[in-house]
Amino acid sequence: MAFISYYFHWSNSEVAALEHSARRRWCSEISSINTALTPSEKQNKKEKSLRDINFSPRM
């Protein structure tokens, strides 16, 4: 819950109101965003912005 609260600035009560599966999905989405924004050792060291990333919704 702290992971979601930290990144989305949601209160504990807002995060607690989510179903467990929704919290897991949000954690996965946040991790995907972090991975996409973090330059890898093999790639160009230029930082990316959210606008540079093509996100497709997962179901």
PDB file of all heavy atoms in Angstrom, residues 31-44:
ATOM      1  N   SER A  31       5.618  -0.175 -11.503  1.00  0.00           N
ATOM      2  CA  SER A  31       6.914  -0.791 -11.770  1.00  0.00           C
ATOM      3  C   SER A  31       7.265  -0.728 -13.250  1.00  0.00           C
ATOM      4  O   SER A  31       8.423  -0.477 -13.611  1.00  0.00           O
ATOM      5  CB  SER A  31       6.916  -2.249 -11.297  1.00  0.00           C
ATOM      6  OG  SER A  31       6.789  -2.293  -9.907  1.00  0.00           O
ATOM      7  N   SER A  32       6.264  -0.937 -14.116  1.00  0.00           N
ATOM      8  CA  SER A  32       6.500  -0.838 -15.567  1.00  0.00           C
ATOM      9  C   SER A  32       6.920   0.569 -15.970  1.00  0.00           C
ATOM     10  O   SER A  32       7.821   0.745 -16.787  1.00  0.00           O
ATOM     11  CB  SER A  32       5.241  -1.231 -16.342  1.00  0.00           C
ATOM     12  OG  SER A  32       4.935  -2.578 -16.137  1.00  0.00           O
ATOM     13  N   ILE A  33       6.274   1.550 -15.400  1.00  0.00           N
ATOM     14  CA  ILE A  33       6.630   2.944 -15.693  1.00  0.00           C
ATOM     15  C   ILE A  33       8.050   3.223 -15.226  1.00  0.00           C
ATOM     16  O   ILE A  33       8.859   3.804 -15.960  1.00  0.00           O
ATOM     17  CB  ILE A  33       5.636   3.916 -15.023  1.00  0.00           C
ATOM     18  CG1 ILE A  33       4.263   3.804 -15.695  1.00  0.00           C
ATOM     19  CG2 ILE A  33       6.153   5.354 -15.078  1.00  0.00           C
ATOM     20  CD1 ILE A  33       3.152   4.498 -14.933  1.00  0.00           C
ATOM     21  N   ASN A  34       8.394   2.789 -14.008  1.00  0.00           N
ATOM     22  CA  ASN A  34       9.746   3.010 -13.487  1.00  0.00           C
ATOM     23  C   ASN A  34      10.791   2.335 -14.354  1.00  0.00           C
ATOM     24  O   ASN A  34      11.848   2.906 -14.629  1.00  0.00           O
ATOM     25  CB  ASN A  34       9.856   2.508 -12.044  1.00  0.00           C
ATOM     26  CG  ASN A  34       9.222   3.455 -11.067  1.00  0.00           C
ATOM     27  OD1 ASN A  34       9.051   4.630 -11.343  1.00  0.00           O
ATOM     28  ND2 ASN A  34       8.840   2.939  -9.923  1.00  0.00           N
ATOM     29  N   THR A  35      10.511   1.116 -14.786  1.00  0.00           N
ATOM     30  CA  THR A  35      11.449   0.386 -15.641  1.00  0.00           C
ATOM     31  C   THR A  35      11.629   1.107 -16.971  1.00  0.00           C
ATOM     32  O   THR A  35      12.750   1.247 -17.466  1.00  0.00           O
ATOM     33  CB  THR A  35      10.942  -1.049 -15.887  1.00  0.00           C
ATOM     34  OG1 THR A  35      10.860  -1.717 -14.626  1.00  0.00           O
ATOM     35  CG2 THR A  35      11.872  -1.812 -16.808  1.00  0.00           C
ATOM     36  N   ALA A  36      10.534   1.577 -17.544  1.00  0.00           N
ATOM     37  CA  ALA A  36      10.599   2.262 -18.829  1.00  0.00           C
ATOM     38  C   ALA A  36      11.340   3.599 -18.729  1.00  0.00           C
ATOM     39  O   ALA A  36      12.004   4.015 -19.680  1.00  0.00           O
ATOM     40  CB  ALA A  36       9.192   2.491 -19.375  1.00  0.00           C
ATOM     41  N   LEU A  37      11.248   4.256 -17.588  1.00  0.00           N
ATOM     42  CA  LEU A  37      11.895   5.561 -17.419  1.00  0.00           C
ATOM     43  C   LEU A  37      13.357   5.456 -17.014  1.00  0.00           C
ATOM     44  O   LEU A  37      14.101   6.424 -17.142  1.00  0.00           O
ATOM     45  CB  LEU A  37      11.149   6.389 -16.367  1.00  0.00           C
ATOM     46  CG  LEU A  37       9.784   6.898 -16.783  1.00  0.00           C
ATOM     47  CD1 LEU A  37       9.100   7.583 -15.611  1.00  0.00           C
ATOM     48  CD2 LEU A  37       9.887   7.838 -17.964  1.00  0.00           C
ATOM     49  N   THR A  38      13.783   4.303 -16.536  1.00  0.00           N
ATOM     50  CA  THR A  38      15.151   4.121 -16.075  1.00  0.00           C
ATOM     51  C   THR A  38      16.027   3.646 -17.224  1.00  0.00           C
ATOM     52  O   THR A  38      15.779   2.574 -17.776  1.00  0.00           O
ATOM     53  CB  THR A  38      15.210   3.096 -14.928  1.00  0.00           C
ATOM     54  OG1 THR A  38      14.323   3.517 -13.896  1.00  0.00           O
ATOM     55  CG2 THR A  38      16.619   2.966 -14.385  1.00  0.00           C
ATOM     56  N   PRO A  39      17.028   4.433 -17.594  1.00  0.00           N
ATOM     57  CA  PRO A  39      17.897   3.989 -18.697  1.00  0.00           C
ATOM     58  C   PRO A  39      18.681   2.741 -18.301  1.00  0.00           C
ATOM     59  O   PRO A  39      19.145   2.623 -17.175  1.00  0.00           O
ATOM     60  CB  PRO A  39      18.832   5.173 -18.929  1.00  0.00           C
ATOM     61  CG  PRO A  39      18.642   6.108 -17.809  1.00  0.00           C
ATOM     62  CD  PRO A  39      17.422   5.694 -17.034  1.00  0.00           C
ATOM     63  N   SER A  40      18.783   1.805 -19.216  1.00  0.00           N
ATOM     64  CA  SER A  40      19.540   0.593 -18.918  1.00  0.00           C
ATOM     65  C   SER A  40      21.001   0.805 -19.272  1.00  0.00           C
ATOM     66  O   SER A  40      21.369   1.737 -19.971  1.00  0.00           O
ATOM     67  CB  SER A  40      18.952  -0.595 -19.682  1.00  0.00           C
ATOM     68  OG  SER A  40      19.685  -0.888 -20.819  1.00  0.00           O
ATOM     69  N   GLU A  41      21.847  -0.089 -18.801  1.00  0.00           N
ATOM     70  CA  GLU A  41      23.282  -0.008 -19.074  1.00  0.00           C
ATOM     71  C   GLU A  41      23.560  -0.109 -20.578  1.00  0.00           C
ATOM     72  O   GLU A  41      24.484   0.493 -21.081  1.00  0.00           O
ATOM     73  CB  GLU A  41      23.997  -1.152 -18.352  1.00  0.00           C
ATOM     74  CG  GLU A  41      23.897  -1.092 -16.845  1.00  0.00           C
ATOM     75  CD  GLU A  41      24.814  -0.042 -16.247  1.00  0.00           C
ATOM     76  OE1 GLU A  41      25.895   0.192 -16.808  1.00  0.00           O
ATOM     77  OE2 GLU A  41      24.431   0.546 -15.232  1.00  0.00           O
ATOM     78  N   LYS A  42      22.742  -0.889 -21.294  1.00  0.00           N
ATOM     79  CA  LYS A  42      22.977  -1.140 -22.708  1.00  0.00           C
ATOM     80  C   LYS A  42      22.423  -0.038 -23.603  1.00  0.00           C
ATOM     81  O   LYS A  42      22.817   0.092 -24.744  1.00  0.00           O
ATOM     82  CB  LYS A  42      22.337  -2.462 -23.107  1.00  0.00           C
ATOM     83  CG  LYS A  42      22.895  -3.644 -22.369  1.00  0.00           C
ATOM     84  CD  LYS A  42      22.129  -4.903 -22.707  1.00  0.00           C
ATOM     85  CE  LYS A  42      22.600  -6.043 -21.838  1.00  0.00           C
ATOM     86  NZ  LYS A  42      21.778  -7.232 -22.006  1.00  0.00           N
ATOM     87  N   GLN A  43      21.454   0.716 -23.093  1.00  0.00           N
ATOM     88  CA  GLN A  43      20.795   1.732 -23.899  1.00  0.00           C
ATOM     89  C   GLN A  43      21.468   3.088 -23.728  1.00  0.00           C
ATOM     90  O   GLN A  43      22.324   3.284 -22.889  1.00  0.00           O
ATOM     91  CB  GLN A  43      19.329   1.852 -23.510  1.00  0.00           C
ATOM     92  CG  GLN A  43      18.529   0.602 -23.785  1.00  0.00           C
ATOM     93  CD  GLN A  43      17.104   0.749 -23.276  1.00  0.00           C
ATOM     94  OE1 GLN A  43      16.802   1.665 -22.523  1.00  0.00           O
ATOM     95  NE2 GLN A  43      16.248  -0.157 -23.670  1.00  0.00           N
ATOM     96  N   ASN A  44      21.009   4.004 -24.540  1.00  0.00           N
ATOM     97  CA  ASN A  44      21.432   5.395 -24.434  1.00  0.00           C
ATOM     98  C   ASN A  44      21.119   5.893 -23.025  1.00  0.00           C
ATOM     99  O   ASN A  44      20.069   5.623 -22.483  1.00  0.00           O
ATOM    100  CB  ASN A  44      20.671   6.218 -25.485  1.00  0.00           C
ATOM    101  CG  ASN A  44      21.123   7.645 -25.518  1.00  0.00           C
ATOM    102  OD1 ASN A  44      21.910   8.092 -24.701  1.00  0.00           O
ATOM    103  ND2 ASN A  44      20.625   8.374 -26.482  1.00  0.00           N
TER     104      ASN A  44
END
